[in-house]
Amino acid sequence: MNLINIIEQLETVDPEIAERMSPRRAAIKNITSFGSKVAIAALPMAFATVFKKAYGAAAPAAVSDVLNFALTLEYLESYFYNQGAAASGLIPNNNSGYVAEIQSDENQHVAFLKSVLGTAAVSMPAFDLTAGGAFPTVLSNYDTFLAVANVFEDTGVRAYKGQAPNLLGNQVVLGAALSIHAVEARHASVIRQIRASRGVDIAPWITGNAGLSNDTGIGAAVDASYAGENNVMQGGVDVTKLPSIYGNSTAYGVAVEAFDEPLSMAAVLAIVKPFFK
Amino acid sequence: MKTEELKNVDSANMPRRSFLRYAGVGAASVGLLATAGCQKDHIKTYNGVDIGSGDTGILNYAYALEQLEAAFYSAVVANPYTGMSDHEKKLLTSIRDHEILHREFFKAALGSSAIIGLTVDFSSLDFKNRIQILATAKAFEDLGVSAYGGAGYLITNPDYLTIAGKIVSVEARHAALIREMISPGSFAGSDVVDSNGLNQSNEIKVVLPIANTFLKTKVSASNFGYKA
């Protein structure tokens, strides 16, 4: 959830952030072509360079605070996967590749933010992966570990989506944000597939019902992560009233599955709070 | 010839280059048929459609891609490939229903600005061949995700961008599923996600020519630098 939240938060402390980050600026002029693989690979480092050039050696305290907050969230996610990968006997051998792939992505996000902040970067805080006892076996029971990962990934997708409009028209930053957003969704999909292969009744997408769209089987502890996912109004259209292959309406479940919903910054904050000591 | 084509795509990890080459073969065949038809019937028509400009253009672009995906999965579910398990059929049916709803949503949202219903051409596909069909599905899903990522910045209305965002993550979930069905562990393969964890993005002029290889009604985006 780093890139877009950073921009959105930075705009509140520095209204000129968009101009500072504009593709017209020379520092990122050479990475505006998304057709180039080299350019895409260079993006996070170039992004860090832009921040440094925009703010000089040390960013204003308010800016650093925001970046450090984003870094803290990324610390949580990377800590979760690093601890999981290191926990003896937790992850079955035939699943270690899946966790390693996602773990690598989260660690890259941390490295990116640390490179932006330099010496201003905060240290990793103390985390409680049991979320105050809600998930006592998160590092000893693989199914619990997957359940928490499931919620982290689905929430990550929603957090990114919630901030996309703040990056309207910015080819570089919105492009990068949408790219990360899509990767989070791939993670969410595969974590759900792994859970399904282990007997949990769950699909790769978020399936709704008439009540709340918490389809994780985890219970009320994670309801907040799925609040509003059962929305069927899209752009003023009730999509259950649109035609399907079965007739002149669409099943409620399909209507919910076909659209992932955004989540506000405040909601994301409340969701992750129990994971901090 | 047929055997050779099949062999070309009969790979668990068909790279994009192969898909493009394969798609190119399809385009040549379609073009040939169209030419023959014109000569025979002495009819000269531009058998295509332009997505238009501005936000309407981008929504029509998405509508065109969703039409293609909906038609593809409808055909997949109606003509199951050899060996399709009940589990696979259930998942593919869900994807079909999602794509149909995406199509119908764009149609409703665009109203009178919507492009026409496109005629597809899947004559190059053998719907009984599991690997070929899943490889095509993978290509469609990855293409769709990259298309939203590459065109998102062109949208000027924040509400439209939000809706595009709501749909693209579902497409990414599909992509990760199809990839796992073909090759476990490839959900975020290095051919679509780079070493910094960023998903591939593609511009309209890259996406539409690929989509057009499976369309009888060719789609242009003259205001966005692509004429079919």
Side-chain angles (χ1 to χ4, degrees):
Chain A
M1 63 191 71
N2 52 1
L3 279 183
I4 20 195
N5 282 343
I6 292 168
I7 302 298
E8 189 231 8
Q9 290 299 301
L10 285 178
E11 275 176 344
T12 67
V13 296
D14 177 7
E16 289 171 19
I17 182 66
E19 179 54 32
R20 292 181 199 275
M21 298 297 296
S22 164
R24 288 190 300 275
R25 290 181 71 92
I28 44 174
K29 210 171 194 172
N30 59 343
I31 57 167
T32 51
S33 167
F34 265 74
S36 159
K37 270 208 154 177
V38 176
I40 292 170
L43 187 85
M45 287 320 292
F47 207 80
T49 304
V50 170
F51 269 100
K52 282 172 184 162
K53 288 199 175 183
Y55 292 111
V63 171
S64 293
D65 286 350
V66 171
L67 293 175
N68 271 320
F69 169 72
L71 173 60
T72 305
L73 291 178
E74 293 297 338
Y75 273 141
L76 168 62
E77 288 182 297
S78 70
Y79 180 77
F80 170 75
Y81 286 105
N82 290 341
Q83 289 292 107
S88 176
L90 174 67
I91 297 162
N93 285 340
N94 64 349
N95 273 191
S96 59
Y98 289 94
V99 175
E101 173 105 39
I102 301 173
Q103 179 191 4
S104 162
D105 287 344
E106 307 299 355
N107 285 331
Q108 280 160 6
H109 293 163
V110 168
F112 159 67
L113 284 166
K114 284 176 84 169
S115 79
V116 171
L117 281 155
T119 55
V122 293
S123 304
M124 187 169 72
F127 292 118
D128 174 12
L129 294 182
T130 72
F135 308 109
T137 57
V138 63
L139 291 177
S140 58
N141 180 306
Y142 187 50
D143 289 311
T144 307
F145 176 81
L146 288 172
V148 174
N150 187 163
V151 177
F152 275 166
E153 297 298 343
D154 280 338
T155 306
V157 172
R158 300 192 67 186
Y160 270 107
K161 202 187 309 295
Q163 303 308 320
N166 294 316
L167 302 174
L168 206 67
N170 191 321
Q171 184 177 8
V172 174
V173 185
L174 177 61
L178 286 173
S179 291
I180 296 173
H181 170 242
V183 173
E184 296 284 337
R186 287 178 187 269
H187 292 173
S189 174
V190 84
I191 291 285
R192 284 167 164 268
Q193 289 170 57
I194 294 171
R195 293 190 72 208
S197 76
R198 296 174 63 83
V200 180
D201 183 17
I202 195 165
W205 34 80
I206 299 170
T207 301
N209 54 51
L212 191 64
S213 262
N214 174 9
D215 63 349
T216 61
I218 301 170
V222 302
D223 278 356
S225 288
Y226 297 90
E229 264 294 347
N230 51 348
N231 172 46
V232 296
M233 294 298 294
Q234 304 296 346
V237 176
D238 179 349
V239 297
T240 64
K241 298 207 163 68
L242 293 174
S244 69
I245 200 160
Y246 306 107
N248 279 325
S249 64
T250 292
Y252 187 91
V254 172
V256 170
E257 289 170 5
F259 296 84
D260 282 336
E261 299 295 322
L263 209 52
S264 75
M265 183 71 169
V268 173
L269 277 172
I271 287 165
V272 298
K273 200 177 173 191
F275 291 94
F276 290 80
K277 261 186 187 152
Chain B
M1 179 67 187
K2 188 75 180 167
T3 316
E4 208 179 325
E5 273 186 37
L6 289 178
K7 211 184 285 174
N8 208 18
V9 295
D10 195 10
S11 145
N13 288 305
M14 183 174 67
R16 181 160 303 270
R17 248 198 314 282
S18 299
F19 174 70
L20 290 172
R21 191 161 57 231
Y22 170 71
V25 171
S29 320
V30 174
L32 217 61
L33 286 170
T35 310
C38 285
Q39 282 170 349
K40 193 180 173 189
D41 299 322
H42 303 285
I43 296 168
K44 272 190 176 177
T45 54
Y46 170 56
N47 188 20
V49 61
D50 197 286
I51 59 172
S53 62
D55 283 356
T56 299
I58 301 303
L59 294 184
N60 267 322
Y61 172 55
Y63 177 41
L65 295 176
E66 298 294 351
Q67 285 194 50
L68 180 58
E69 287 189 297
F72 173 73
Y73 286 106
S74 294
V76 169
V77 174
N79 310 288
Y81 51 72
T82 306
M84 185 185 288
S85 68
D86 287 346
H87 181 63
E88 287 181 340
K89 182 155 194 177
K90 187 182 164 198
L91 291 167
L92 290 164
T93 302
S94 284
I95 297 179
R96 177 199 65 186
D97 292 345
H98 300 163
E99 305 296 6
I100 287 175
L101 184 57
H102 291 165
R103 180 190 69 198
E104 294 303 317
F105 168 74
F106 281 116
K107 187 181 179 185
L110 280 156
S112 60
S113 302
I115 56 170
I116 56 170
L118 306 174
T119 305
V120 297
D121 181 349
F122 297 136
S123 59
S124 60
L125 299 175
D126 174 2
F127 281 89
K128 291 297 168 200
N129 184 321
R130 179 180 186 273
I131 294 298
Q132 187 195 109
I133 291 308
L134 290 181
T136 306
K138 178 177 97 171
F140 279 154
E141 297 293 351
D142 286 337
L143 188 68
V145 175
S146 79
Y148 280 99
Y153 80 98
L154 295 167
I155 298 173
T156 63
N157 181 324
D159 294 336
Y160 295 164
L161 179 59
T162 296
I163 283 171
K166 290 179 178 200
I167 291 174
V168 66
S169 58
V170 174
E171 301 292 350
R173 289 173 188 269
H174 292 169
L177 169 63
I178 297 288
R179 282 176 162 265
E180 291 299 304
M181 286 167 74
I182 299 176
S183 178
S186 68
F187 64 100
S190 58
D191 54 331
V192 284
V193 178
D194 72 15
S195 60
N196 286 303
L198 296 175
N199 202 96
Q200 182 182 47
S201 294
N202 278 315
E203 293 178 73
I204 294 173
K205 65 185 180 193
V206 174
V207 172
L208 277 185
I210 298 170
N212 273 333
T213 62
F214 292 98
L215 291 169
K216 274 205 181 81
T217 319
K218 302 300 178 193
V219 178
S220 286
S222 55
N223 293 297
F224 301 96
Y226 172 68
K227 187 93 180 74

